[in-house]
């Protein structure tokens, strides 16, 4: 149930081993949250009018996932296996901005990420270098070690002969060097940097937020499209699940399509429906499974794609890819990592979460656009002059999602998560919410692999199946 990445990849892997699969998908497209919006695409949230994307041919907006970390091997391997071409996604770009509003002396000032990083590196190196003259170091150092460490800190922090940080070309130039030497501004005050919180923005990246990441050439939907080429003949689109029933021998799914009610029966069911949607579908689940499904909350998340008639972020601000971080309710601005120096482009005008996403989700479509343009113009004054069209999404208001990704507390992981990851009779749950990679495509694939392995082991261990058509040949599976 579900032609997202978990559902289609499950069908793909099972058919390799001789299983007959059928996929039910409520939407008229595959991919689930791996959704790329292009010109002419239409969508209506549960309390909004239909919006139609006005993007020009060749431009697109990844409304869901938009980047792939290098260590997400299942995602990377499927792209290789299915022939999905990848290109670099510039996740961390030192030319992007950090922007804080109403916080300290740097309020309302856009700061290049490289400036904040360089200044914080310099000041912390200065403090550590000076501490070498004191006896308070936790770890004793030999005289030679102190000299080597001091040399490193002077280079790392661009310290002068007096072990002071007074700026560096690493933070960028006010006047670029050419025939004449360049000049750079004095560093920001350390106290101001700390008060504004830009130090936190400048070092927020972890293993899932690497400097260089990847994206499919032409949009994230190239991955689901590649799976659909393999299993598309197995998918029934427009099939909205109404009931999930099971007995000791089989599963029976009741669904509606085109106003009529239909049923399909099989030996096993892999359910990839997001939990906030699943909890409202009548099902023959155990009490523990029903409780677990009802107990997990999902994140609110929103995005807007802005089409601009000129790539001013490249031409005026020298930004090629990357993300600007703010403390405003738009949270982030993403610049495209493709088609550099072309005429037009689509910028993610906001990517927000939690209360900010709820606020924007409750706005009208027009108000989302207006608010995001106003906030973004504080960083890029070119916004209003160059703006052409927008398309926004609030995942918590998507009928077949009702949230961006699963949110687990440590207690949830120790209780409900364990229940959700076990089969409930002949029904197995799969998706990003059944992994520790919640919110990532890799979570869907990792979960799928676990479920497919469990079903296959169950079959080859001679558990009776309800029909011969479920396998090409039982003997073939036994090898």
């Amino acid at each position: 149930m579900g032609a997202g990445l978990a559902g289609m990849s499950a069908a793909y892997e099972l058919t390799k081993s001789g299983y007959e699969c059928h996929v039910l998908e409520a939407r008229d497209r595959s991919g689930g949250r791996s959704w790329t919006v292009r010109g002419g695409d239409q969508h209506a949230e549960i309390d909004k009018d239909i919006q139609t994307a006005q993007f020009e041919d060749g431009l697109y907006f990844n409304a869901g996932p938009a980047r792939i970390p290098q260590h997400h091997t299942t995602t990377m391997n499927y792209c290789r296996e299915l022939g999905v071409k990848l290109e670099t996604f510039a996740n961390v770009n030192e030319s992007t901005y950090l922007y804080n509003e109403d916080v300290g002396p740097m309020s309302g000032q856009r700061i290049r990420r490289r400036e904040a990083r360089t200044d914080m590196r310099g000041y912390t190196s200065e403090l550590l270098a000076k501490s070498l003259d004191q006896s308070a170091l936790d770890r004793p150092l030999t005289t030679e070690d102190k000299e080597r460490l001091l040399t490193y800190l002077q280079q790392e922090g661009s310290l002068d002969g007096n072990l002071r940080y007074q700026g560096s070309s690493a933070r960028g130039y006010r006047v670029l060097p050419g025939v004449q030497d360049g000049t750079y501004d004095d560093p920001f005050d350390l106290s101001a940097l700390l008060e504004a919180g830009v130090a936190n923005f400048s070092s927020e990246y972890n293993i899932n937020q690497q400097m260089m990441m990847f994206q499919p050439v032409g949009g994230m939907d190239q991955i689901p499209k590649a799976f659909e080429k393999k299993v598309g003949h197995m998918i029934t689109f427009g099939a909205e699940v109404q009931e999930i029933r099971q007995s000791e021998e089989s599963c029976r799914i009741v669904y509606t399509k085109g106003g009529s009610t239909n049923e399909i029966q099989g030996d096993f069911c892999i359910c990839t429906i997001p939990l906030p949607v699943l909890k409202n579908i009548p099902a023959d689940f155990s009490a523990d499974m029903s409780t677990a499904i009802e107990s997990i909350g999902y994140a609110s998340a929103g995005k807007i794609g802005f089409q601009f008639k000129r790539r001013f972020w490249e031409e005026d601000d020298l930004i090629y890819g990357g993300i600007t971080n703010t403390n405003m309710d738009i949270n982030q601005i993403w610049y495209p990592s493709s088609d550099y120096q072309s005429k037009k482009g689509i910028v993610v005008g906001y990517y927000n979460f939690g209360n900010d996403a709820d606020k924007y989700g409750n706005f009208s479509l027009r108000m989302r656009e207006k608010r995001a343009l106003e906030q973004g113009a504080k960083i890029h004054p070119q916004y209003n002059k160059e703006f052409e069209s927008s398309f926004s999404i609030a995942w918590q208001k998507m009928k077949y999602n009702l949230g961006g990704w699963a949110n687990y507390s440590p207690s949830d992981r120790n209780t409900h998560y364990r229940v959700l990851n076990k089969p409930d009779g002949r029904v197995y749950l799969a998706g990003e919410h059944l992994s520790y990679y919640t919110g990532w495509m890799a979570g869907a694939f990792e979960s799928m692999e676990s479920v497919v392995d469990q079903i296959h082991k169950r079959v080859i261990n001679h558990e009776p199946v309800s029909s011969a058509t479920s396998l090409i040949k039982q003997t073939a599976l036994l090898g």
Side-chain angles (χ1 to χ4, degrees), residues 442-456:
F445 293 133
E446 297 286 346
S447 170
M448 173 278 299
E449 287 185 341
S450 174
V451 166
V452 167
D453 184 60
Q454 291 178 61
I455 290 176
H456 190 56

Side-chain angles (χ1 to χ4, degrees), residues 21-73:
C21 300
H22 198 95
V23 183
L24 302 178
E25 170 55 48
R27 296 183 173 96
D28 60 1
R29 62 169 179 84
S30 65
R33 280 163 285 187
S34 294
W35 180 33
T36 300
V37 179
R38 305 174 192 280
D41 288 348
Q42 293 186 322
H43 177 71
E45 295 171 14
I46 56 177
D47 61 350
K48 298 288 189 297
D49 295 331
I50 294 176
Q51 60 176 323
T52 302
Q54 304 296 325
F55 300 145
E56 288 194 3
D57 290 345
L59 299 181
Y60 62 85
F61 163 50
N62 287 321
R67 50 194 171 179
I68 306 172
Q70 299 172 60
H71 71 287
H72 285 193
T73 54

Side-chain angles (χ1 to χ4, degrees), residues 57-128:
D57 290 345
L59 299 181
Y60 62 85
F61 163 50
N62 287 321
R67 50 194 171 179
I68 306 172
Q70 299 172 60
H71 71 287
H72 285 193
T73 54
T74 50
T75 308
M76 296 292 285
N77 288 343
Y78 271 128
C79 289
R80 181 184 300 110
E81 180 175 341
L82 298 174
V84 177
K85 294 183 179 180
L86 299 177
E87 61 188 358
T88 300
F89 178 90
N91 195 48
V92 182
N93 181 348
E94 297 293 298
S95 292
T96 58
Y97 294 114
L98 306 174
Y99 182 88
N100 277 268
E101 194 169 57
D102 303 323
V103 180
M106 302 181 77
S107 174
Q109 182 178 354
R110 64 180 194 179
I111 301 167
R112 295 279 189 183
R113 189 178 299 273
R114 74 168 68 90
E115 296 172 342
R117 281 188 188 275
T118 303
D119 288 352
M120 287 304 303
R121 185 182 297 120
Y123 287 127
T124 53
S125 296
E126 177 183 333
L127 291 171
L128 183 54

Side-chain angles (χ1 to χ4, degrees), residues 263-445:
E263 291 188 3
I264 189 170
Q265 187 166 312
D267 297 298
F268 300 102
C269 170
I270 299 178
C271 176
T272 71
I273 297 173
L275 302 181
V277 180
L278 181 60
K279 71 180 182 181
N280 295 316
I281 298 175
D284 293 332
F285 290 139
S286 66
D288 286 347
M289 178 63 82
S290 296
T291 298
I293 291 170
E294 294 173 358
S295 299
I296 305 306
Y298 270 51
S300 295
K303 280 185 176 181
I304 193 168
F306 284 149
Q307 177 178 303
F308 291 106
K309 58 188 176 184
R310 182 175 71 88
R311 294 170 80 103
F312 56 83
W313 56 94
E314 295 177 357
E315 296 177 17
D316 303 344
D317 297 313
L318 306 181
I319 296 175
Y320 292 83
I323 300 170
T324 281
N325 293 88
T326 84
N327 70 342
M328 297 186 291
D329 52 20
I330 59 173
N331 198 308
Q332 300 174 355
I333 297 173
W334 291 29
Y335 311 96
S337 292
S338 61
D339 300 321
Y340 297 120
Q341 296 192 337
S342 56
K343 182 179 179 181
K344 298 185 178 184
I346 291 179
V347 166
V348 176
Y350 67 75
Y351 182 20
N352 52 22
F353 324 94
N355 292 334
D356 290 335
D358 285 330
K359 179 172 71 174
Y360 273 72
N362 291 329
F363 284 159
S364 67
L365 299 177
R366 179 69 183 89
M367 185 60 190
R368 290 179 192 172
E369 176 185 284
K370 181 175 182 293
R371 174 76 173 178
L373 285 172
E374 290 174 348
Q375 297 290 68
K378 297 175 183 178
I379 300 169
H380 295 291
Q382 307 97 320
Y383 257 39
N384 292 318
K385 180 181 178 181
E386 307 295 346
F387 172 74
E388 289 190 324
S389 66
S390 75
F391 190 97
S392 62
I393 179 73
W395 283 103
Q396 67 274 15
K397 290 182 176 291
M398 293 283 281
K399 182 178 180 181
Y400 300 116
N401 295 98
L402 301 182
W405 53 85
N407 272 338
Y408 288 98
S409 67
S411 174
D412 291 336
R413 289 286 187 185
N414 290 326
T415 54
H416 303 309
Y417 181 73
R418 296 182 179 183
V419 174
L420 294 168
N421 265 291
K422 294 179 179 179
D424 196 81
R426 289 179 170 267
V427 178
Y428 293 74
L429 305 189
E432 58 82 24
H433 51 291
L434 279 307
S435 78
Y436 277 80
Y437 279 140
T438 54
W440 295 95
M441 293 182 293
F445 293 133

